[in-house]
Amino acid sequence: MIQHSAMPTGRTTKPSVVSVFVNNQPVMLYPGRYEMTTFFSLASIPHNHEVQQLMSGKLRAISGPGPISLVGDEVFVTRRDWHKA
């Protein structure tokens, strides 16, 4: 399990941490909005990987540089993006 103390964008007080799952591994973060580069770093996702989020039973690509909102129990899957290699 990965746990970080970095605060999301716009937060000044520390809320309870929540779990998100990256490739079936729990990552403990504070709920809130994160820039994608920050999320990649905190979740130990290589920057040459693409990220998809499980939403309504389907994997959906996360596009753009962010931000991404986390409330807890989000599920992400990564894979190497051969276009960025």
Side-chain angles (χ1 to χ4, degrees):
M1 177 181 352
I2 301 170
Q3 183 170 352
H4 293 282
S5 60
M7 296 294 287
T9 304
R11 286 268 186 194
T12 57
T13 59
K14 288 188 175 185
S16 299
V17 294
V18 295
S19 294
V20 299
F21 297 88
V22 178
N23 297 332
N24 293 323
Q25 298 299 314
V27 177
M28 304 300 289
L29 297 170
Y30 292 109
R33 293 169 57 94
Y34 291 87
E35 295 299 324
M36 285 303 291
T37 55
T38 303
F39 176 66
F40 272 51
S41 294
L42 294 175
S44 300
I45 300 170
H47 289 280
N48 66 339
H49 283 215
E50 60 183 30
V51 177
Q52 296 179 317
Q53 184 175 2
L54 185 64
M55 299 171 71
S56 301
K58 295 183 180 182
L59 286 174
R60 302 193 190 272
I62 296 177
S63 60
I68 185 170
S69 293
L70 302 177
V71 295
D73 294 327
E74 288 89 357
V75 175
F76 299 93
V77 176
T78 70
R79 68 181 179 123
R80 185 172 180 167
D81 182 354
W82 297 104
H83 301 288
K84 294 181 184 177

